[in-house]
Amino acid sequence: MLRLAMTTDAETFDRVRGPLADRGIAVDHVQAKERALRVSGGGDHETGGGGVGGDADGEFSGFDAGFVYPSRLMEGAVVDTRLSVPWVNDQEAVLTSRNKAGVLAALDDAGLPTPRTTMVSNPVDEAVVTEAVEPLSYPVVVKPNSATRGVGVATATDLDSLLGVVDYLNLVHDYRATGDKSYLIQEFLPDARDYRAMVVDGAYAGAVERALPADAVAAGRWKHNVHRGAEATGVDLPDRARELAERTAETLGIDYLGVDLLAADGRLVVNETNARPTVDAATKYEPGFYDRLAALIERTAATG
């Protein structure tokens, strides 16, 4: 049986274990964060002193592939070395998808529809922010370039509120250790329907619509992230949306991808992508979802 290392033990891990085991793939958890990882054993390799010796209990041994590269890249580099396996979505794929501005720029260059967006790279004067927002109409969305799960995403209804949000970003970016000092100013699509389409090995494999409860919407909330209380319901997307999701994955060169689509006023745009997408219940995807996923894992393992 093929053995797959998964560095998450959240919902996806629990959901995929059974279906993949039925297809000859054993899934085991490898903890990549919130722990101590032996980096070097101090051995003298030139005199036969040996390597790290940090896998005495076989924690990283016997795997054929990984799914997907760890979310924390620093820890991921150590785990990647210890496992020494090919990944379904390697470090490059995760980095590509995590850069929201880079994704939107690549898709726009390929002629795919995206929201009107400007990236701001701090530090800049207020005049630069003022000029950046001029092509857009208020309200606008302000979001960190590389955060996930809707963290730090806000709307601004006028220039003063926009500059107020930027003030908080400036405080964060002023800290020297902050790696990503960029953020996006993006057009706001009110009442947009929010979809997460899954693409596996180049083909559409199902989708969910994410929606907040009616009382949350009535209270003024608008971010339809599952981690913030939205419910994901399986939907049958039209061909137009399916093709857009597939073209997005092809443009980015990522085999396993969650594509976030917004539909409003006749427009359908790619808002973001996720190379570490949460897998929902199998009933919310196409019948061949796990067959396709298993085939991708097997093909990945064969490259190792």
Side-chain angles (χ1 to χ4, degrees):
M1 180 175 277
L2 187 151
R3 192 160 176 239
L4 181 71
M6 183 173 288
T7 60
T8 176
D9 60 354
E11 298 99 330
T12 293
F13 178 75
D14 294 329
R15 288 170 180 152
V16 305
R17 290 188 77 185
L20 289 180
D22 293 340
R23 292 161 175 81
I25 300 173
V27 183
D28 290 307
H29 177 237
V30 172
Q31 186 176 351
K33 62 182 181 180
E34 298 176 358
R35 59 167 297 180
L37 283 163
R38 180 82 62 86
V39 173
S40 172
D44 185 348
H45 292 265
E46 291 186 3
T47 59
V52 159
D55 195 26
D57 60 356
E59 178 185 4
F60 300 107
S61 302
F63 288 99
D64 301 290
F67 184 90
V68 299
Y69 196 89
S71 59
R72 295 188 183 180
L73 302 182
M74 302 300 106
E75 293 92 326
V78 176
V79 172
D80 183 26
T81 299
R82 297 289 167 261
L83 285 171
S84 189
V85 295
W87 295 87
V88 174
N89 289 2
D90 58 13
Q91 183 188 57
E92 182 180 357
V94 172
L95 284 171
T96 295
S97 178
R98 185 173 294 180
N99 184 346
K100 299 183 191 343
V103 165
L104 295 177
L107 299 183
D108 183 71
D109 190 59
L112 304 185
T114 61
R116 287 184 289 273
T117 307
T118 297
M119 180 176 74
V120 179
S121 177
N122 266 338
V124 297
D125 295 331
E126 286 189 357
V128 175
V129 178
T130 302
E131 182 179 358
V133 77
E134 282 181 356
L136 306 177
S137 299
Y138 289 102
V140 296
V141 177
V142 188
K143 62 173 67 173
N145 187 35
S146 55
T148 61
R149 299 184 175 184
V151 173
V153 180
T155 55
T157 56
D158 52 41
L159 181 58
D160 278 342
S161 59
L162 172 60
L163 294 176
V165 173
V166 169
D167 283 341
Y168 282 101
L169 290 170
N170 290 342
L171 290 174
V172 174
H173 293 165
D174 189 52
Y175 182 53
R176 290 186 178 183
T178 302
D180 180 10
K181 299 181 184 294
S182 63
Y183 61 92
L184 308 183
I185 302 176
Q186 190 173 74
E187 69 171 314
F188 179 59
L189 301 178
D191 303 320
R193 301 186 72 171
D194 185 310
Y195 303 105
R196 162 66 61 85
M198 295 288 275
V199 179
V200 180
D201 207 11
Y204 171 83
V208 295
E209 179 175 1
R210 301 177 296 191
L212 287 166
D215 58 343
V217 175
R221 294 181 58 192
W222 57 274
K223 291 189 284 187
H224 296 282
N225 298 85
V226 172
H227 295 91
R228 293 178 176 271
E231 182 178 350
T233 305
V235 293
D236 186 21
L237 290 183
D239 290 344
R240 174 189 174 200
R242 296 177 180 220
E243 292 168 2
L244 180 55
E246 291 176 348
R247 289 186 62 194
T248 296
E250 179 183 15
T251 299
L252 300 179
I254 300 177
D255 290 326
Y256 170 67
L257 189 66
V259 182
D260 294 348
L261 305 172
L262 296 179
D265 297 326
R267 292 176 64 191
L268 180 68
V269 299
V270 180
N271 188 44
E272 295 180 6
T273 63
N274 191 333
R276 294 180 52 84
T278 298
V279 175
D280 218 305
T283 55
K284 299 179 182 179
Y285 298 122
E286 299 288 285
F289 173 80
Y290 276 106
D291 292 332
R292 183 172 295 278
L293 183 59
L296 174 58
I297 293 169
E298 291 168 355
R299 181 168 61 82
T300 301
T303 66

